Amino acid sequence: MNLSLRKLAPFLLLLGASLIAYAHSFHVPFLFDDGPSILDNPYIRQLWPPWVTLLPPPSAPEAWRPVVSLSLAINYAINEFSPRGYHILNWAVHTGVGWALFVWLRSVFGLPRLARLNERAADLALAIALLWIVHPLLTQSVTYIIQRAECMMALFYVLTLYSVARSAKSPGSRAWMWAAIVFCGLGMLTKRIMVTAPVMALVYDRLFLAESWKELWNKRRALYLGLCATWAPMLLLMWMSPEAAHPGYGFGMAELNALDYAASQPAVILHYIRLVIWPSPLVFDYAWPVAKTTAEILPYAIAILILLALTIFGLLRRHPAAFLGFWFFGLLAPSSSFVPIADLAAEHRMYLPSVALITGVVLALDYFAQRKAFWTAVLLLCIPLTILTLDRNRDYRSAEAIWKDTVTKRPLNPHAQYNYGSVLSAQGRLDEALPYLFEALRLDPTYADVNNNIGAVLGQQGRLDEAEPYFLRALEINPDFADARRNLLLLKQLEKP
């Protein structure tokens, strides 16, 4: 194998693995939030003038994610409402993140601080990137089109850290410093999880690159001042878009307070860890219940506190392994701590944090196995992970399939029951739809959309007297519910002799 092909081989392997794993994803239709963000979003239907897409009104979908909005506008200009092009871009970005991880991790394992791993740097980096790129836990971020925000942010995040490493290696050149700042700024305009990137870069620098805080400040203070300056555009967007910046968005769940949210997160985080090791069952929408009792909180909280304490202890001792813990908890902190988000659990949040756990697995394999045995073990893990990803992508083949799958796995989830019932009713399968809608209402009697849809289905069946109370209940829950008010007026007209 000549030198150039040998250099390209890891990238071709990652490309091929990614293409095989996501072969079924290119035919997936628009799902759920793809509707308001793509199909019904007028602000992505032109590329010029650019501010229409980049700075839409605060109430517009993706108003606080200009880079994502621009990517959707580019897709629309090429594909309009054909989902294939949108999926190809998602897959391409995901593959790009895998490539970036490989290059960055190869440089990390080649550092003097990790001298024991220097000879194996390329193998370790490739194994981690390969297992990560085919892992089924990532499917929600790649296959669900609007979750491309997670993939795009991840790409900018890894490129920021790689640029920081290169700037430290080439102190006389400012090109890598500016590259880090630009990538970080783009990430801030993509998704708010990027807020942790300057701190992550600082900890990475101190653990692996700089011998002291003084050296770090003297040599690279301009870099970190620039990285911190990228918080400004994100904060400006949040200030300009108060509705989008509000954390209580999601699948219509009642707003949570910070303590309830924080008390529920230890169990969620341990669930995430389990899914990296054993990725089943995967769920589109969890509707994770709020933890209330000591038994629901304490055991999980103790486990997480122990892991946090070990991470902090390792950071204080400047142990390289502590970076894995800091990466995991640092990336989850904005969505899995005290800031209440309507969805207590969502698999797309593990897109980048999963790198830490996969790295731990690969390093353990490297410690206990010889070179041939190491790659045998990696391939034995890679094959079933790829099969599971292919299988999971089949679940996304239609709105009916993904909601039926969610109902099967989370039968106490009112959102899943409601959405599956709504899909069936939209297909004219009214008798099949009603049981799911009534079950959603039983699980959440304050669900205005469910009341409205039950009324609509009953109305289509000619059961007008039965339909009216459900429209009235929907308006009682939400007096501004325009669809319920319109349905009620239509019902009154039909009742007139």
Side-chain angles (χ1 to χ4, degrees), residues 239-262:
W239 176 77
M240 291 172 62
S241 308
E243 296 168 352
H246 192 280
Y249 63 88
F251 289 103
M253 195 173 180
E255 188 175 337
L256 300 170
N257 63 57
L259 288 178
D260 282 345
Y261 191 84

CSV table of all heavy atoms in Angstrom, one decimal, residues 239-262:
chain,number,residue,atom,x,y,z
A,239,TRP,N,-31.2,36.8,23.6
A,239,TRP,CA,-31.9,38.1,24.0
A,239,TRP,C,-32.9,38.5,22.9
A,239,TRP,O,-34.0,39.0,23.2
A,239,TRP,CB,-30.8,39.1,24.2
A,239,TRP,CG,-31.4,40.5,24.5
A,239,TRP,CD1,-32.0,40.9,25.7
A,239,TRP,CD2,-31.6,41.6,23.7
A,239,TRP,NE1,-32.4,42.2,25.6
A,239,TRP,CE2,-32.2,42.6,24.4
A,239,TRP,CE3,-31.2,41.8,22.3
A,239,TRP,CZ2,-32.5,43.9,23.8
A,239,TRP,CZ3,-31.5,43.1,21.8
A,239,TRP,CH2,-32.1,44.1,22.5
A,240,MET,N,-32.5,38.3,21.6
A,240,MET,CA,-33.4,38.7,20.5
A,240,MET,C,-34.5,37.8,20.3
A,240,MET,O,-35.6,38.1,19.8
A,240,MET,CB,-32.6,38.8,19.2
A,240,MET,CG,-31.5,39.9,19.2
A,240,MET,SD,-30.5,39.8,17.7
A,240,MET,CE,-31.7,40.0,16.4
A,241,SER,N,-34.3,36.5,20.8
A,241,SER,CA,-35.4,35.5,20.5
A,241,SER,C,-35.8,34.9,21.9
A,241,SER,O,-35.4,33.7,22.2
A,241,SER,CB,-34.8,34.4,19.6
A,241,SER,OG,-34.3,34.9,18.5
A,242,PRO,N,-36.4,35.6,22.7
A,242,PRO,CA,-36.8,35.1,24.0
A,242,PRO,C,-37.6,33.9,24.0
A,242,PRO,O,-37.5,33.0,24.9
A,242,PRO,CB,-37.5,36.3,24.7
A,242,PRO,CG,-38.0,37.1,23.5
A,242,PRO,CD,-37.0,37.0,22.5
A,243,GLU,N,-38.5,33.7,23.0
A,243,GLU,CA,-39.3,32.5,22.9
A,243,GLU,C,-38.5,31.3,22.7
A,243,GLU,O,-38.7,30.3,23.3
A,243,GLU,CB,-40.4,32.7,21.9
A,243,GLU,CG,-41.4,33.8,22.2
A,243,GLU,CD,-42.2,34.2,21.0
A,243,GLU,OE1,-42.0,33.6,19.9
A,243,GLU,OE2,-43.2,35.0,21.1
A,244,ALA,N,-37.5,31.4,21.7
A,244,ALA,CA,-36.7,30.3,21.4
A,244,ALA,C,-35.7,30.0,22.5
A,244,ALA,O,-35.3,28.9,22.7
A,244,ALA,CB,-35.9,30.6,20.1
A,245,ALA,N,-35.3,31.1,23.2
A,245,ALA,CA,-34.3,30.9,24.3
A,245,ALA,C,-34.9,30.2,25.5
A,245,ALA,O,-34.2,29.7,26.4
A,245,ALA,CB,-33.7,32.2,24.6
A,246,HIS,N,-36.2,30.3,25.6
A,246,HIS,CA,-36.9,29.7,26.8
A,246,HIS,C,-36.7,28.2,26.8
A,246,HIS,O,-36.9,27.5,25.8
A,246,HIS,CB,-38.4,30.0,26.7
A,246,HIS,CG,-39.1,29.7,28.0
A,246,HIS,ND1,-39.5,28.4,28.4
A,246,HIS,CD2,-39.5,30.5,29.0
A,246,HIS,CE1,-40.1,28.4,29.5
A,246,HIS,NE2,-40.1,29.7,30.0
A,247,PRO,N,-36.2,27.6,27.9
A,247,PRO,CA,-35.8,26.2,27.9
A,247,PRO,C,-37.0,25.3,27.9
A,247,PRO,O,-36.8,24.1,27.7
A,247,PRO,CB,-35.0,26.1,29.3
A,247,PRO,CG,-35.6,27.2,30.1
A,247,PRO,CD,-35.9,28.3,29.2
A,248,GLY,N,-38.2,25.7,28.2
A,248,GLY,CA,-39.3,24.8,28.4
A,248,GLY,C,-39.9,24.4,27.1
A,248,GLY,O,-41.1,24.4,27.0
A,249,TYR,N,-39.1,24.0,26.1
A,249,TYR,CA,-39.7,23.5,24.8
A,249,TYR,C,-39.6,22.0,24.8
A,249,TYR,O,-38.9,21.4,25.5
A,249,TYR,CB,-39.0,24.2,23.6
A,249,TYR,CG,-37.6,23.8,23.5
A,249,TYR,CD1,-37.2,22.6,22.8
A,249,TYR,CD2,-36.6,24.5,24.0
A,249,TYR,CE1,-35.9,22.2,22.7
A,249,TYR,CE2,-35.2,24.2,23.9
A,249,TYR,CZ,-34.9,23.0,23.2
A,249,TYR,OH,-33.6,22.7,23.1
A,250,GLY,N,-40.4,21.4,23.9
A,250,GLY,CA,-40.4,20.0,23.8
A,250,GLY,C,-41.6,19.4,23.2
A,250,GLY,O,-42.2,20.0,22.3
A,251,PHE,N,-42.1,18.3,23.7
A,251,PHE,CA,-43.3,17.7,23.1
A,251,PHE,C,-44.6,18.0,23.8
A,251,PHE,O,-45.5,17.3,24.0
A,251,PHE,CB,-43.1,16.1,23.2
A,251,PHE,CG,-42.1,15.6,22.3
A,251,PHE,CD1,-40.8,15.3,22.7
A,251,PHE,CD2,-42.4,15.4,21.0
A,251,PHE,CE1,-39.8,14.8,21.9
A,251,PHE,CE2,-41.4,14.9,20.1
A,251,PHE,CZ,-40.2,14.6,20.5
A,252,GLY,N,-44.6,19.3,24.3
A,252,GLY,CA,-45.9,19.7,25.0
A,252,GLY,C,-46.0,19.4,26.4
A,252,GLY,O,-47.0,19.5,27.0
A,253,MET,N,-44.8,19.0,27.0
A,253,MET,CA,-44.9,18.6,28.4
A,253,MET,C,-45.0,19.9,29.3
A,253,MET,O,-44.5,20.9,29.0
A,253,MET,CB,-43.5,17.9,28.8
A,253,MET,CG,-43.5,17.1,30.0
A,253,MET,SD,-41.9,16.2,30.1
A,253,MET,CE,-42.1,15.4,31.7
A,254,ALA,N,-45.7,19.7,30.5
A,254,ALA,CA,-45.8,20.8,31.4
A,254,ALA,C,-44.4,21.3,31.8
A,254,ALA,O,-43.5,20.5,32.0
A,254,ALA,CB,-46.7,20.4,32.6
A,255,GLU,N,-44.3,22.6,32.0
A,255,GLU,CA,-43.0,23.1,32.4
A,255,GLU,C,-42.6,22.6,33.8
A,255,GLU,O,-43.4,22.5,34.7
A,255,GLU,CB,-43.1,24.7,32.5
A,255,GLU,CG,-41.8,25.3,32.7
A,255,GLU,CD,-41.9,26.9,32.6
A,255,GLU,OE1,-42.9,27.3,31.9
A,255,GLU,OE2,-41.0,27.5,33.1
A,256,LEU,N,-41.3,22.3,33.9
A,256,LEU,CA,-40.8,21.8,35.1
A,256,LEU,C,-40.0,22.8,35.9
A,256,LEU,O,-39.5,23.8,35.3
A,256,LEU,CB,-39.8,20.6,34.8
A,256,LEU,CG,-40.4,19.4,34.1
A,256,LEU,CD1,-39.2,18.5,33.6
A,256,LEU,CD2,-41.4,18.7,34.9
A,257,ASN,N,-39.9,22.7,37.2
A,257,ASN,CA,-39.0,23.5,38.0
A,257,ASN,C,-37.6,22.9,38.0
A,257,ASN,O,-37.5,21.7,37.8
A,257,ASN,CB,-39.6,23.8,39.4
A,257,ASN,CG,-39.7,22.6,40.2
A,257,ASN,OD1,-38.7,21.9,40.4
A,257,ASN,ND2,-40.9,22.3,40.7
A,258,ALA,N,-36.7,23.7,38.4
A,258,ALA,CA,-35.3,23.3,38.3
A,258,ALA,C,-35.0,22.1,39.2
A,258,ALA,O,-34.2,21.2,38.9
A,258,ALA,CB,-34.4,24.5,38.7
A,259,LEU,N,-35.6,22.1,40.4
A,259,LEU,CA,-35.3,21.0,41.4
A,259,LEU,C,-35.8,19.7,40.9
A,259,LEU,O,-35.2,18.7,41.0
A,259,LEU,CB,-35.8,21.4,42.8
A,259,LEU,CG,-35.1,22.5,43.5
A,259,LEU,CD1,-35.7,22.8,44.8
A,259,LEU,CD2,-33.6,22.1,43.7
A,260,ASP,N,-37.1,19.7,40.4
A,260,ASP,CA,-37.6,18.4,39.9
A,260,ASP,C,-36.8,17.9,38.7
A,260,ASP,O,-36.6,16.7,38.6
A,260,ASP,CB,-39.1,18.7,39.4
A,260,ASP,CG,-40.1,18.7,40.6
A,260,ASP,OD1,-39.7,18.3,41.7
A,260,ASP,OD2,-41.2,19.2,40.4
A,261,TYR,N,-36.4,18.9,37.9
A,261,TYR,CA,-35.6,18.5,36.7
A,261,TYR,C,-34.3,17.9,37.1
A,261,TYR,O,-33.9,16.8,36.7
A,261,TYR,CB,-35.3,19.7,35.8
A,261,TYR,CG,-34.7,19.4,34.5
A,261,TYR,CD1,-35.6,19.0,33.4
A,261,TYR,CD2,-33.4,19.4,34.2
A,261,TYR,CE1,-35.0,18.6,32.2
A,261,TYR,CE2,-32.8,19.1,33.0
A,261,TYR,CZ,-33.7,18.7,32.0
A,261,TYR,OH,-33.1,18.4,30.8
A,262,ALA,N,-33.6,18.5,38.1
A,262,ALA,CA,-32.3,18.1,38.5
A,262,ALA,C,-32.4,16.7,39.3
A,262,ALA,O,-31.5,15.8,39.1
A,262,ALA,CB,-31.6,19.1,39.5
